[in-house]
mmCIF file with all atom_site columns, all heavy atoms in Angstrom:
data_model
loop_
_atom_site.group_PDB
_atom_site.id
_atom_site.type_symbol
_atom_site.label_atom_id
_atom_site.label_alt_id
_atom_site.label_comp_id
_atom_site.label_asym_id
_atom_site.label_entity_id
_atom_site.label_seq_id
_atom_site.pdbx_PDB_ins_code
_atom_site.Cartn_x
_atom_site.Cartn_y
_atom_site.Cartn_z
_atom_site.occupancy
_atom_site.B_iso_or_equiv
_atom_site.pdbx_formal_charge
_atom_site.auth_seq_id
_atom_site.auth_comp_id
_atom_site.auth_asym_id
_atom_site.auth_atom_id
_atom_site.pdbx_PDB_model_num
ATOM 1  N N   . ARG A 1 623 ? -56.028 20.878 -15.878 1.00 0.00 ? 623 ARG A N   1
ATOM 2  C CA  . ARG A 1 623 ? -55.235 22.058 -16.266 1.00 0.00 ? 623 ARG A CA  1
ATOM 3  C C   . ARG A 1 623 ? -53.716 21.964 -15.860 1.00 0.00 ? 623 ARG A C   1
ATOM 4  O O   . ARG A 1 623 ? -52.864 22.286 -16.645 1.00 0.00 ? 623 ARG A O   1
ATOM 5  C CB  . ARG A 1 623 ? -55.787 23.409 -15.775 1.00 0.00 ? 623 ARG A CB  1
ATOM 6  C CG  . ARG A 1 623 ? -57.225 23.645 -16.245 1.00 0.00 ? 623 ARG A CG  1
ATOM 7  C CD  . ARG A 1 623 ? -57.578 25.079 -16.227 1.00 0.00 ? 623 ARG A CD  1
ATOM 8  N NE  . ARG A 1 623 ? -57.753 25.616 -14.901 1.00 0.00 ? 623 ARG A NE  1
ATOM 9  C CZ  . ARG A 1 623 ? -58.471 26.730 -14.668 1.00 0.00 ? 623 ARG A CZ  1
ATOM 10 N NH1 . ARG A 1 623 ? -59.024 27.412 -15.681 1.00 0.00 ? 623 ARG A NH1 1
ATOM 11 N NH2 . ARG A 1 623 ? -58.610 27.180 -13.458 1.00 0.00 ? 623 ARG A NH2 1
ATOM 12 N N   . THR A 1 624 ? -53.466 21.553 -14.643 1.00 0.00 ? 624 THR A N   1
ATOM 13 C CA  . THR A 1 624 ? -52.062 21.283 -14.283 1.00 0.00 ? 624 THR A CA  1
ATOM 14 C C   . THR A 1 624 ? -52.000 19.921 -13.567 1.00 0.00 ? 624 THR A C   1
ATOM 15 O O   . THR A 1 624 ? -52.903 19.598 -12.815 1.00 0.00 ? 624 THR A O   1
ATOM 16 C CB  . THR A 1 624 ? -51.479 22.362 -13.338 1.00 0.00 ? 624 THR A CB  1
ATOM 17 O OG1 . THR A 1 624 ? -52.199 22.355 -12.085 1.00 0.00 ? 624 THR A OG1 1
ATOM 18 C CG2 . THR A 1 624 ? -51.581 23.758 -13.935 1.00 0.00 ? 624 THR A CG2 1
ATOM 19 N N   . ILE A 1 625 ? -50.998 19.145 -13.883 1.00 0.00 ? 625 ILE A N   1
ATOM 20 C CA  . ILE A 1 625 ? -50.886 17.880 -13.177 1.00 0.00 ? 625 ILE A CA  1
ATOM 21 C C   . ILE A 1 625 ? -49.808 17.965 -12.076 1.00 0.00 ? 625 ILE A C   1
ATOM 22 O O   . ILE A 1 625 ? -49.704 17.020 -11.252 1.00 0.00 ? 625 ILE A O   1
ATOM 23 C CB  . ILE A 1 625 ? -50.581 16.738 -14.173 1.00 0.00 ? 625 ILE A CB  1
ATOM 24 C CG1 . ILE A 1 625 ? -49.254 16.929 -14.910 1.00 0.00 ? 625 ILE A CG1 1
ATOM 25 C CG2 . ILE A 1 625 ? -51.709 16.492 -15.115 1.00 0.00 ? 625 ILE A CG2 1
ATOM 26 C CD1 . ILE A 1 625 ? -48.719 15.643 -15.500 1.00 0.00 ? 625 ILE A CD1 1
ATOM 27 N N   . ALA A 1 626 ? -49.062 19.009 -11.985 1.00 0.00 ? 626 ALA A N   1
ATOM 28 C CA  . ALA A 1 626 ? -48.169 19.233 -10.842 1.00 0.00 ? 626 ALA A CA  1
ATOM 29 C C   . ALA A 1 626 ? -48.083 20.757 -10.578 1.00 0.00 ? 626 ALA A C   1
ATOM 30 O O   . ALA A 1 626 ? -47.580 21.411 -11.447 1.00 0.00 ? 626 ALA A O   1
ATOM 31 C CB  . ALA A 1 626 ? -46.788 18.650 -11.118 1.00 0.00 ? 626 ALA A CB  1
ATOM 32 N N   . PRO A 1 627 ? -48.606 21.230 -9.495  1.00 0.00 ? 627 PRO A N   1
ATOM 33 C CA  . PRO A 1 627 ? -49.396 20.473 -8.579  1.00 0.00 ? 627 PRO A CA  1
ATOM 34 C C   . PRO A 1 627 ? -50.797 20.142 -9.169  1.00 0.00 ? 627 PRO A C   1
ATOM 35 O O   . PRO A 1 627 ? -51.212 20.870 -10.084 1.00 0.00 ? 627 PRO A O   1
ATOM 36 C CB  . PRO A 1 627 ? -49.538 21.401 -7.356  1.00 0.00 ? 627 PRO A CB  1
ATOM 37 C CG  . PRO A 1 627 ? -49.265 22.804 -7.871  1.00 0.00 ? 627 PRO A CG  1
ATOM 38 C CD  . PRO A 1 627 ? -48.471 22.653 -9.111  1.00 0.00 ? 627 PRO A CD  1
ATOM 39 N N   . TRP A 1 628 ? -51.441 19.166 -8.619  1.00 0.00 ? 628 TRP A N   1
ATOM 40 C CA  . TRP A 1 628 ? -52.776 18.844 -9.165  1.00 0.00 ? 628 TRP A CA  1
ATOM 41 C C   . TRP A 1 628 ? -53.836 19.144 -8.113  1.00 0.00 ? 628 TRP A C   1
ATOM 42 O O   . TRP A 1 628 ? -53.590 19.063 -6.955  1.00 0.00 ? 628 TRP A O   1
ATOM 43 C CB  . TRP A 1 628 ? -52.870 17.449 -9.781  1.00 0.00 ? 628 TRP A CB  1
ATOM 44 C CG  . TRP A 1 628 ? -52.782 16.302 -8.831  1.00 0.00 ? 628 TRP A CG  1
ATOM 45 C CD1 . TRP A 1 628 ? -51.672 15.797 -8.261  1.00 0.00 ? 628 TRP A CD1 1
ATOM 46 C CD2 . TRP A 1 628 ? -53.861 15.466 -8.399  1.00 0.00 ? 628 TRP A CD2 1
ATOM 47 N NE1 . TRP A 1 628 ? -51.971 14.699 -7.483  1.00 0.00 ? 628 TRP A NE1 1
ATOM 48 C CE2 . TRP A 1 628 ? -53.312 14.446 -7.530  1.00 0.00 ? 628 TRP A CE2 1
ATOM 49 C CE3 . TRP A 1 628 ? -55.243 15.408 -8.613  1.00 0.00 ? 628 TRP A CE3 1
ATOM 50 C CZ2 . TRP A 1 628 ? -54.064 13.482 -6.963  1.00 0.00 ? 628 TRP A CZ2 1
ATOM 51 C CZ3 . TRP A 1 628 ? -56.008 14.396 -8.020  1.00 0.00 ? 628 TRP A CZ3 1
ATOM 52 C CH2 . TRP A 1 628 ? -55.440 13.445 -7.201  1.00 0.00 ? 628 TRP A CH2 1
ATOM 53 N N   . ASP A 1 629 ? -55.020 19.465 -8.589  1.00 0.00 ? 629 ASP A N   1
ATOM 54 C CA  . ASP A 1 629 ? -56.089 19.924 -7.702  1.00 0.00 ? 629 ASP A CA  1
ATOM 55 C C   . ASP A 1 629 ? -56.807 18.744 -7.118  1.00 0.00 ? 629 ASP A C   1
ATOM 56 O O   . ASP A 1 629 ? -57.909 18.377 -7.505  1.00 0.00 ? 629 ASP A O   1
ATOM 57 C CB  . ASP A 1 629 ? -57.034 20.839 -8.522  1.00 0.00 ? 629 ASP A CB  1
ATOM 58 C CG  . ASP A 1 629 ? -57.900 21.686 -7.634  1.00 0.00 ? 629 ASP A CG  1
ATOM 59 O OD1 . ASP A 1 629 ? -58.007 21.376 -6.451  1.00 0.00 ? 629 ASP A OD1 1
ATOM 60 O OD2 . ASP A 1 629 ? -58.427 22.681 -8.153  1.00 0.00 ? 629 ASP A OD2 1
ATOM 61 N N   . LYS A 1 630 ? -56.179 18.157 -6.127  1.00 0.00 ? 630 LYS A N   1
ATOM 62 C CA  . LYS A 1 630 ? -56.775 16.972 -5.416  1.00 0.00 ? 630 LYS A CA  1
ATOM 63 C C   . LYS A 1 630 ? -58.087 17.326 -4.814  1.00 0.00 ? 630 LYS A C   1
ATOM 64 O O   . LYS A 1 630 ? -59.054 16.536 -4.884  1.00 0.00 ? 630 LYS A O   1
ATOM 65 C CB  . LYS A 1 630 ? -55.841 16.597 -4.271  1.00 0.00 ? 630 LYS A CB  1
ATOM 66 C CG  . LYS A 1 630 ? -54.901 15.464 -4.487  1.00 0.00 ? 630 LYS A CG  1
ATOM 67 C CD  . LYS A 1 630 ? -54.154 15.139 -3.206  1.00 0.00 ? 630 LYS A CD  1
ATOM 68 C CE  . LYS A 1 630 ? -52.753 14.813 -3.586  1.00 0.00 ? 630 LYS A CE  1
ATOM 69 N NZ  . LYS A 1 630 ? -51.893 14.604 -2.454  1.00 0.00 ? 630 LYS A NZ  1
ATOM 70 N N   . ALA A 1 631 ? -58.131 18.502 -4.232  1.00 0.00 ? 631 ALA A N   1
ATOM 71 C CA  . ALA A 1 631 ? -59.363 18.872 -3.522  1.00 0.00 ? 631 ALA A CA  1
ATOM 72 C C   . ALA A 1 631 ? -60.538 18.880 -4.464  1.00 0.00 ? 631 ALA A C   1
ATOM 73 O O   . ALA A 1 631 ? -61.648 18.384 -4.151  1.00 0.00 ? 631 ALA A O   1
ATOM 74 C CB  . ALA A 1 631 ? -59.187 20.240 -2.887  1.00 0.00 ? 631 ALA A CB  1
#
Side-chain angles (χ1 to χ4, degrees):
R623 303 202 287 203
T624 64
I625 60 161
W628 68 283
D629 198 341
K630 261 186 219 175

